[in-house]
Amino acid sequence: MKEISILGIKVNDITKSETVDLINKFAEEKDKSHLIVTLGTEMVMAAREDNDIKELINGAEAVCADGVGIVLASKIKKQQIREKAAGVEILEETVRQSAETGKKIFFLGSKPGIAEKAAEKLREKYPGCNIAGTFHGYFKDDEEAKAEIRKASPDIIFIALGFPRQEKWYREYGKELGIPVGIGVGGSFDVISGNIERAPSWMRKLCLEWLFRLIKEPARWKRMLALPKFAIAVIMSK
């Protein structure tokens, strides 16, 4: 995989379909644990301030660009990433293919009932898909979640505990639980379950998904400040 650096943070030039292929390939390697990071601009800025987060991302087996800001930054650096690889789309395609691959998938995270509802909707949409289990992200003791995951014995786990907790959780427990692949997917369960509305396709094509989220969730405005800071940092680094 081609790898570039944006403000010192690793990102791979990997498409959505290539990421799904990689997930299925990693899922065959039962004796290993592979972390896949879906990278956004806020994560890059956080990593610049926290060396542990930087090492977590740079040490991942694959990092895909889950944010148009990452793709645009790669163009500015003249090391173009071919496309945005959104975590929610990677998740859905992996689930769709699981009907054929037989790979067992687990959803961990979000508020109680959300991951379960997301799984129900995907089972309706993709009959035969292999979602082996779900568990919410409001557990007080890691052993609660680990017990549920052991029952399901998944090959792939999608984790929605928020960055960087979701990535750290997999790094700490993925190998212990025998899960070959872990992917952090933020708010993807909320989107798939219908709890949060995703920006319409025309806004996504115009790179305005951030604006849609800000309109829907005005309280995010402080987090959105990372976007202009990221842009300035990229331009200055060039």
Side-chain angles (χ1 to χ4, degrees):
M1 288 181 291
K2 177 184 173 184
E3 179 183 312
I4 70 170
S5 175
I6 295 177
L7 301 178
I9 309 304
K10 160 185 167 179
V11 60
N12 296 109
D13 177 21
I14 183 169
T15 65
K16 290 190 290 286
S17 62
E18 289 170 349
T19 303
V20 174
D21 289 344
L22 192 63
I23 289 169
N24 288 324
K25 174 180 175 292
F26 284 161
E28 297 286 344
E29 301 177 15
K30 306 293 186 181
D31 59 334
K32 298 180 181 178
S33 58
H34 305 84
L35 173 64
I36 296 178
V37 173
T38 52
L39 187 70
T41 53
E42 291 179 52
M43 296 163 68
V44 172
M45 298 309 287
R48 294 188 81 204
E49 302 295 328
D50 188 320
N51 199 54
D52 287 342
I53 294 177
K54 181 177 180 179
E55 289 181 1
L56 181 67
I57 297 172
N58 288 348
E61 281 64 42
V63 181
C64 54
D66 185 2
V68 69
I70 304 296
V71 177
L72 293 176
S74 74
K75 291 181 180 180
I76 290 172
K77 292 177 66 65
K78 301 190 184 304
Q79 295 178 297
Q80 186 169 350
I81 291 171
R82 284 167 290 163
E83 70 173 18
K84 174 184 172 182
V88 65
E89 294 169 6
I90 291 167
L91 183 159
E92 187 162 340
E93 179 60 17
T94 303
V95 168
R96 186 190 72 79
Q97 290 188 18
S98 71
E100 300 173 5
T101 65
K103 298 294 185 295
K104 291 191 288 183
I105 297 169
F106 196 94
F107 290 173
L108 174 66
S110 295
K111 294 178 181 178
I114 297 297
E116 185 178 0
K117 187 176 179 181
E120 288 172 2
K121 284 186 173 288
L122 289 171
R123 289 183 184 116
E124 290 173 7
K125 189 173 183 179
Y126 305 116
C129 70
N130 201 1
I131 301 173
T134 68
F135 195 67
H136 64 81
Y138 282 62
F139 49 89
K140 295 179 180 179
D141 186 342
D142 289 326
E143 295 303 322
E144 293 180 69
K146 288 162 66 177
E148 292 298 316
I149 293 167
R150 284 194 181 96
K151 289 178 190 176
S153 186
D155 303 299
I156 302 162
I157 186 167
F158 288 97
I159 311 175
L161 297 176
F163 174 82
R165 184 187 171 204
Q166 55 200 16
E167 289 79 13
K168 288 182 176 180
W169 203 92
Y170 177 74
R171 273 302 190 216
E172 184 167 358
Y173 299 119
K175 194 170 184 65
E176 174 191 334
L177 293 168
I179 312 169
V181 194
I183 309 101
V185 289
S188 295
F189 302 160
D190 286 288
V191 172
I192 293 169
S193 69
N195 189 48
I196 292 177
E197 185 180 0
R198 193 180 184 194
S201 59
W202 69 267
M203 291 192 82
R204 298 201 298 271
K205 288 177 182 177
L206 291 174
C207 306
L208 293 174
E209 195 164 6
W210 63 271
L211 179 59
F212 181 84
R213 293 183 71 184
L214 184 59
I215 292 169
K216 291 290 184 178
E217 301 174 72
R220 292 178 61 90
W221 71 270
K222 286 186 179 180
R223 291 180 61 183
M224 292 295 182
L225 292 177
L227 299 177
K229 289 179 181 177
F230 173 79
I232 291 167
V234 170
I235 292 168
M236 292 297 289
S237 70
K238 184 175 182 297

